[in-house]
Amino acid sequence: MTKYSSLRGTQDIFPPEIHIWQKVEKVAKVVFSAYGFQELRAPIIEATEIFVRSIGETSDIVEKEMYTFSDKAGRSITLRPEGTAPVVRCYVQNRLYNLPSPQKFFYSGPMFRYERPQKGRFRQFYHVGVEALGTSDPKIDAEILLMLKLILDRLGLKELSYELNSIGCEKCRPDYKKALINFFKDRIDEFCPDCKRRYEFNPLRILDCKVKECVKLRVGAPKVTDFLCEDCKGHFEALLSFLRSANFPYVMNNDMVRGLDYYTRTTFEVKSKQLGAQNAVAAGGRYDKLVEEFSGPPTPAIGFAIGMERVSELLSSSDKIEIPVPEVFIATVGSSAENEGLVLASKLRERGIWVETGYAGHSLKSQMRRADRLSARHVLIMGDDEIKSGKLKWKRLSDGSQGEIPIPEVLEFFG
């Protein structure tokens, strides 16, 4: 047993798994660029009030899951539990609303929640997400969903379910809350303690509970889409029309309300049957009032976040990710060869070629063994005889083919 180990709910990410993460980030950035999204990097620590105000005082995240502490100046600081609020704070603080709308950003990095660790759920977890601020046009909702699907398609993920709902706005949601309260009032004593608390402060969250008994008890609950005002109904119908035109395979989920207070209208989740209980790959929705909550101008907005751990888990069981290996291993024998090999390796590396070399005077046999363990594509053998002849021996490890090459031609051979 080691003296030091990582904290519960955190993980080390290193090769070869890190290459899966890098592939996801690379694919996402290419797609984001095609849709006009630019990177925004916000701090991982923020004033606690930012999350209390945006997520909601009675939410599970604020009440139970935030990593909050006082700094040396006595200020309440929180490690960000999600990425939207910091982006909105940045948007308002830096008056980005004065720039042409919509402003479109993407971000990536760690988030923190004190949850019970389990497969697919960590206390430090990673998101890649986007936010589009400045338009209520349902077309951008459709673009956001199409962009998300394009990323997941390019990663080769299959058997995903794209679930949609609309949870209305501040005009129509009060009537829906009343309908839920009336539906649950005669059976609320049978729900879990969390749902009993939700009933008092935000009954919509009962629909988000994963406890099996609560799921059964809410069967037959009123549908939010039956209570949408004309504006929200028209917005949602327009979105669905766009998606049908693009042959987007959505599924309606009337129970989906999302766990954050700031959501309005469009909400969505992408789920995989291959992930077990923690089956959400990505999720998001509209938050048309959040910028105003941060003392900014009226600014409708929408975004989503992709869970890196969930996507990585799906990709690790596939052959879609090519793990990089060294292109060249230079095996040297003798001090003169070591010097010349270092120079040659440097020239190849300047061209962006991954080169590994032998160290500490290891025998040729041990160097060849190391090249094989590294899965190097080619080995160059350089000894005193090769330097004198001006030709190096090469070997392709995948098929065993070999030959000689003049030293001056090595750069072009691998370039």
Side-chain angles (χ1 to χ4, degrees):
M1 183 175 179
T2 60
K3 182 178 180 180
Y4 301 106
S5 58
S6 60
L7 293 173
R8 186 166 184 256
T10 67
Q11 61 172 338
D12 300 310
I13 306 162
F14 48 87
E17 185 182 0
I18 192 63
H19 298 299
I20 297 175
W21 286 55
Q22 291 169 344
K23 175 68 173 182
V24 175
E25 291 166 350
K26 182 178 180 180
V27 168
K29 288 179 181 179
V30 169
V31 175
F32 292 157
S33 178
Y35 276 81
F37 284 75
Q38 301 181 76
E39 187 172 13
L40 184 154
R41 299 189 183 187
I44 65 170
I45 58 172
E46 298 276 0
T48 301
E49 177 60 22
I50 284 177
F51 301 110
V52 174
R53 190 175 187 87
S54 61
I55 297 174
E57 290 187 34
T58 60
S59 68
D60 288 352
I61 295 174
V62 170
E63 288 190 336
K64 303 177 182 179
E65 299 168 6
M66 293 203 313
Y67 280 93
T68 298
F69 57 94
S70 295
D71 68 4
K72 293 183 178 181
R75 294 168 296 197
S76 182
I77 305 297
T78 295
L79 293 173
R80 62 185 182 192
E82 55 92 35
T84 298
V87 172
V88 172
R89 190 268 310 148
C90 172
Y91 178 82
V92 174
Q93 178 180 341
N94 295 284
R95 296 182 174 84
L96 300 181
Y97 46 77
N98 289 326
L99 299 174
S101 293
Q103 289 290 299
K104 298 187 285 188
F105 304 105
F106 74 86
Y107 62 86
S108 61
M111 311 291 161
F112 305 85
R113 295 185 193 177
Y114 191 84
E115 298 183 282
R116 183 173 66 85
Q118 54 185 291
K119 185 178 181 181
R121 174 179 284 176
F122 297 87
R123 289 174 174 172
Q124 176 176 308
F125 56 97
Y126 289 77
H127 278 171
V128 172
V130 302
E131 313 294 347
L133 305 101
T135 180
S136 60
D137 190 334
K139 183 164 66 176
I140 202 164
D141 299 39
E143 288 183 340
I144 286 280
L145 285 159
L146 289 166
M147 180 171 66
L148 175 56
K149 185 175 185 297
L150 181 57
I151 292 170
L152 300 178
D153 285 350
R154 286 193 175 177
L155 289 171
L157 299 184
K158 306 293 184 182
E159 300 180 30
L160 299 178
S161 174
Y162 293 81
E163 301 184 1
L164 268 67
N165 197 17
S166 175
I167 59 173
C169 66
E170 73 280 5
K171 296 178 183 178
C172 51
R173 201 177 299 171
D175 287 340
Y176 180 56
K177 285 185 176 180
K178 289 179 183 178
L180 285 179
I181 290 171
N182 289 332
F183 178 81
F184 290 129
K185 66 180 181 181
D186 293 332
R187 65 189 81 184
I188 192 61
D189 290 341
E190 302 175 54
F191 280 83
C192 70
D194 284 337
C195 281
K196 291 177 183 177
R197 191 182 71 256
R198 291 163 182 153
Y199 179 79
E200 296 296 328
F201 297 102
N202 190 348
L204 268 74
R205 285 219 182 89
I206 296 176
L207 302 177
D208 201 39
C209 183
K210 303 299 188 293
V211 176
K212 290 183 179 180
E213 290 76 10
C214 297
V215 173
K216 293 178 182 177
L217 286 167
R218 68 175 183 244
V219 171
K223 297 179 181 179
V224 64
T225 47
D226 291 338
F227 291 81
L228 297 180
C229 64
E230 290 303 313
D231 286 344
C232 288
K233 186 183 297 184
H235 184 276
F236 196 50
E237 288 175 351
L239 167 60
L240 298 183
S241 177
F242 281 126
L243 295 178
R244 286 192 293 267
S245 297
N247 295 316
F248 187 91
Y250 68 86
V251 176
M252 285 296 301
N253 180 351
N254 293 305
D255 285 342
M256 184 173 57
V257 295
R258 311 288 296 122
L260 308 177
D261 272 359
Y262 56 63
Y263 281 114
T264 58
R265 292 189 171 178
T266 306
T267 57
F268 55 89
E269 290 186 2
V270 184
K271 297 179 180 178
S272 170
K273 294 181 180 178
Q274 302 174 41
L275 289 176
Q278 301 301 320
N279 62 356
V281 174
R286 275 203 163 272
Y287 49 97
D288 291 343
K289 296 298 179 181
L290 187 55
V291 174
E292 289 180 73
E293 286 288 320
F294 279 64
S295 301
T299 308
I302 185 172
F304 69 72
I306 299 172
M308 289 291 292
E309 289 81 3
R310 312 277 174 86
V311 172
S312 175
E313 183 179 341
L314 290 173
L315 290 175
S316 64
S317 60
S318 73
D319 57 357
K320 301 295 183 181
I321 305 297
E322 181 179 348
I323 304 301
V325 297
E327 183 66 29
V328 184
F329 186 100
I330 299 178
T332 58
V333 181
S335 58
S336 296
E338 282 196 15
N339 291 336
E340 293 298 325
L342 177 62
V343 173
L344 179 58
S346 297
K347 290 179 179 179
L348 288 167
R349 288 162 175 161
E350 288 172 3
R351 296 192 171 201
I353 298 170
W354 182 359
V355 180
E356 291 291 337
T357 64
Y359 296 103
H362 289 165
S363 67
L364 179 60
K365 183 177 181 181
S366 66
Q367 290 181 76
M368 293 296 290
R369 188 160 52 243
R370 181 165 180 261
D372 186 60
R373 292 184 65 185
L374 291 171
S375 300
R377 300 184 194 280
H378 299 87
V379 175
L380 286 176
I381 300 174
M382 178 182 289
D384 292 339
D385 291 341
E386 285 75 22
I387 293 175
K388 288 179 182 177
S389 68
K391 293 182 179 180
L392 302 183
K393 294 177 182 177
W394 63 268
K395 184 176 183 179
R396 185 180 295 117
L397 296 185
S398 60
D399 58 13
S401 59
Q402 54 190 334
E404 291 185 336
I405 181 172
I407 293 176
E409 296 178 14
V410 170
L411 295 181
E412 297 306 319
F413 184 83
F414 292 106

